[in-house]
Each structure stands twice: as structure tokens, then as C-alpha cells.
Amino acid sequence: MHGLISLWNTIQLTLFPWLEEELDPLTERQKHFVSVIELIKPERFLQQFCWIGNGRKPKRRLNLLKAFVAKAVYDFQTTEILVEHLKSCKNLRRLCGWETIWAIPSLSTFSRAFTQFSESEVLNKIHRAMIVKNYGDKIAGHVSRDSTAIEAREKPAKKEPKVARPKGKRGRRKKGEQAPPVEPKRLELQPDRSLEANIADLPQACNVGTKKNSKGYKESWIGYKLHADVVDGEIPVSLILTSASLHDSQVAIPLAQMTASRVTNLYDLMDAAYDSEAIHRYALDLGHIALIDSNPRSGEKVLMDPAQEARYNQRTSVERVFSMLKDNHGGRHVRVRGPKKVMAHLMFGMLVVTATQFFRLLI
């Protein structure tokens, strides 16, 4: 946290005055953009895109990545709007690294660069490094876990036909005859597998999802689900994108594995969708206390005591993070297709949200 304070003082007292001497006076949105770039320091992660001397020299990927961050900061719906704004706004254009209008790349170059960012998952690496550096030495009181619907403009994938199980003989089994083997469920396998294996096992194709809203009515959408772990200060520390139809409980253990490698926390806060014995047991193995709303599948609902209920109310922080992403940083207008590109689009917004929340802790 001391490094974050030092960076904030440097930005406020040194960088902004120097930029305003070189450029026109900065707007508040431009100052926000500069602060985000200074915190994430993306140049450290772009070595893989360096030109090695074969063929035509490509446009600098650092400038293009900064431009996509600006798109999330300004909440531009399309890359076309971003490019038009770069042409008309000298300050933002130069902050991204282009001195003249003619230096701005074409839309196809922006598209190719975005594909590279999504395929390499460089944004996930930037986000992880930002969390570990600025929050890794702190102890988080609560991790709030939930998911949100992400609507996409693509056709849902066709459902794979279910494999019919062989029917057994009717009636009681003979003495000594063994029951047919039961295939273990995903939740039973996850605790013994690595994070990479668990994420690879989760479906990511676009499909139809349905969930109840806050008023108890069912809502459906075509697209994906973004699952998140959010710590105190409304800082998202772990993010996973899956198919819209996947139940929230299937992502709880992979999220817990990802979060445990980044921060140390004491309590896991989850709603009734996560009320599973496997999730309770895994949280206990990590040394956490799981506060999960009871799901009365059969029987009476188990109530929390007043102290637990007060802690459980902290879970709304994850809802506020989703609200910030959707209302201010691109979460409501996904124009790309495919899980990797959708995740990259959302990660640009989440990088901005994370940096913003870090600086708000100081203010």
C-alpha cells in the first residue's frame, strides 16, 4: 500500500503538472485515464508482441492497448467511436502515443491487436500482477462471490445430445451383484484438481441463461456469465467467464483457488446458489469461514445469527462492482464474439474498475 501512496503522490504532484505543460489542460476523464495507465504499467507485459525484424513492422501494441483502456474509461460503445474521438482530441491521442491524426492505425489494425490481446490473455496477467503487488500483503476480511449476466450478440451454441445411459435390469439386484458405477459430479472432482484443469472443464460457449432477479421473476438472456470474487474496498481480485447456463456453484471452487493464489482472506460470502457441502468443505480446507445463505431444498431455512448476518451484508460489494462495470465501463455493450474476445472486452473494463477502486482507498 505504501507503493500505491507513493505512486499517487507522484501522479498528482509531478506527472499531471508536467503533462499540462506539454499538452492542453487535462480534463478529469483524461486524468483518470493517466492514473489507470500508470497503475497497470502495461509495457511490462507486451514483450511477446515485440517486432523481431521479419516482414513489415507492426504498429506499437502498447499504444493500441492504451487506446482500448481509454475506450473503457470513456465507455465508448464501438472502436469506431474511439477512433473518431482520438482524431478530434489531441490530448487523448498524444497520451496514447500518437502525435498526429495520420499516425492513428486503421480499424482493421485495432481489430488484429484486440485479437492478439484476447488470445494471449495478457489482460488477465496484468490484472493478477496489479492485485498481487498492491493487495497481496494485506489480509482481506471478506471475499464476496457472485456472477452476473453478460449479453452477447451471437447465436447460442447448439446443445450436445445427451448420451443415453444403459438401462439396468428391473427389480432387486441379486446377492453379490454390484451396483453400476456412478459418474462423479464436477463439484466432487474440483477440490483434487489444479486451477487450470478446473477452468478447462468449465463450459464457455455462448448459450441461453436463466436466473431469478431481485423481485423473484425469471429472466433469460443469450450470452455468458461473469463470475467474480471481490474483496473489501470493492476490488475485484478474480474473474472467470463461463456459459450463461452454468450454475454458479460450479465456479465457486475455481474462484476460491484463483483468489487464494492472490490474496489472503478470512470469510467467503455467497448467496444460496452456492449452498453445497463440497463448497463448505473446501472453504474450511483453505482456513476460511464460509457464510452462505441457506438453500432450503427440503426442510426449514437455517438462519444466521446477528453477527453472521452483519458480515453477510458485506456481500453487496460484488453487486456494486458489476454495476460499475456495466454502467460505466463497457459491460452492457459487448460487440465482439467468442469467449476469449468477450473476456478481453470485459477485462479492459475490470482493469479500469480495479485501478479506480485502489485510488479510492487512498482518497
Side-chain angles (χ1 to χ4, degrees), residues 81 173 228 242 262 265 269 284 296 336 361:
I81 298 174
R173 289 193 299 272
T242 68
R262 301 180 181 189
N265 68 285
L269 313 180
L284 190 63
V336 291
L361 284 179

Side-chain angles (χ1 to χ4, degrees), residues 10 39 93 97 108 120 131 145 150 159 178 206 245 270 282 292 309 336 347 359:
T10 302
L39 181 59
R93 181 175 69 246
S108 58
S120 65
I131 294 299
R145 185 169 296 142
I150 301 297
K159 289 184 179 181
Q178 294 183 348
C206 172
S245 62
M270 292 167 268
Y282 192 78
I292 305 176
E309 191 171 353
V336 291
M347 281 304 303
F359 286 129

Side-chain angles (χ1 to χ4, degrees), residues 8 17 23 124 190 363:
W8 178 250
L23 309 173
N124 302 64
Q190 284 178 339
I363 298 173

Side-chain angles (χ1 to χ4, degrees), residues 165-180:
R165 294 182 180 179
K167 293 184 178 180
K169 295 180 180 179
R170 295 180 63 184
R172 187 177 178 181
R173 289 193 299 272
K174 294 180 180 179
K175 187 176 181 180
E177 185 181 356
Q178 294 183 348

Side-chain angles (χ1 to χ4, degrees), residues 40-59:
I40 67 177
K41 296 189 180 301
E43 59 274 5
R44 300 174 295 161
F45 302 90
L46 302 182
Q47 299 300 322
Q48 58 187 305
F49 304 121
C50 289
W51 184 57
I52 58 175
N54 296 323
R56 182 180 177 182
K57 186 175 181 180
K59 302 293 183 181

Side-chain angles (χ1 to χ4, degrees), residues 257-273:
Q257 291 175 316
M258 187 180 293
T259 299
S261 68
R262 301 180 181 189
V263 300
T264 302
N265 68 285
L266 305 177
Y267 291 86
D268 294 339
L269 313 180
M270 292 167 268
D271 62 23

Side-chain angles (χ1 to χ4, degrees), residues 12 25 36 58 127 188 207 233 300 350:
Q12 292 290 322
V36 172
H127 182 258
E188 296 171 352
N207 62 13
E300 296 182 359
M350 276 300 187

Side-chain angles (χ1 to χ4, degrees), residues 64-303:
L64 288 158
L65 189 141
K66 288 181 179 179
F68 282 116
V69 172
K71 180 183 176 184
V73 170
Y74 282 79
D75 197 23
F76 292 141
Q77 294 194 17
T78 63
T79 307
E80 289 86 348
I81 298 174
L82 168 66
V83 171
E84 289 302 315
H85 188 79
L86 289 171
K87 290 179 179 178
S88 61
C89 180
K90 181 179 71 173
N91 272 7
L92 185 61
R93 181 175 69 246
R94 295 184 66 186
L95 288 173
C96 288
W98 296 301
E99 289 295 327
T100 64
I101 295 175
W102 296 276
I104 299 173
S106 64
L107 289 173
S108 58
T109 302
F110 273 91
S111 179
R112 285 194 296 270
F114 186 87
T115 300
Q116 288 180 324
F117 297 149
S118 60
E119 292 291 335
S120 65
E121 298 183 354
V122 66
L123 304 173
N124 302 64
K125 298 172 186 175
I126 293 174
H127 182 258
R128 184 187 188 280
M130 182 165 49
I131 294 299
V132 172
K133 180 179 179 181
N134 298 295
Y135 208 102
D137 57 346
K138 291 173 61 68
I139 294 179
H142 311 93
V143 161
S144 302
R145 185 169 296 142
D146 206 352
S147 69
T148 188
I150 301 297
E151 295 186 13
R153 293 188 172 187
E154 53 184 301
K155 290 183 178 180
K158 293 183 179 179
K159 289 184 179 181
E160 295 183 2
K162 291 185 178 181
V163 179
R165 294 182 180 179
K167 293 184 178 180
K169 295 180 180 179
R170 295 180 63 184
R172 187 177 178 181
R173 289 193 299 272
K174 294 180 180 179
K175 187 176 181 180
E177 185 181 356
Q178 294 183 348
V182 179
E183 211 174 299
K185 296 181 179 179
R186 183 183 282 126
L187 269 175
E188 296 171 352
L189 297 172
Q190 284 178 339
D192 299 323
R193 296 190 304 200
S194 66
L195 172 62
E196 292 73 20
N198 282 333
I199 291 179
D201 184 48
L202 298 175
Q204 293 185 319
C206 172
N207 62 13
V208 181
T210 303
K211 68 188 304 184
K212 286 185 179 181
N213 60 21
S214 57
K215 297 181 180 180
Y217 296 103
K218 286 187 176 181
E219 294 180 344
S220 297
W221 74 97
I222 296 174
Y224 303 88
K225 262 186 186 178
L226 181 64
H227 306 259
D229 273 4
V230 175
V231 296
D232 303 323
E234 299 176 11
I235 297 173
V237 295
S238 301
L239 301 156
I240 296 176
L241 188 77
T242 68
S243 300
S245 62
L246 187 68
H247 195 266
D248 290 355
S249 63
Q250 307 296 296
V251 196
I253 291 176
L255 273 176
Q257 291 175 316
M258 187 180 293
T259 299
S261 68
R262 301 180 181 189
V263 300
T264 302
N265 68 285
L266 305 177
Y267 291 86
D268 294 339
L269 313 180
M270 292 167 268
D271 62 23
Y274 299 91
D275 188 10
S276 166
E277 181 61 31
I279 296 173
H280 279 276
R281 189 167 55 249
Y282 192 78
L284 190 63
D285 292 342
L286 290 175
H288 303 165
I289 297 175
L291 296 181
I292 305 176
D293 193 17
S294 175
N295 188 349
R297 297 178 181 88
S298 59
E300 296 182 359
K301 184 181 179 73
V302 179
L303 299 178

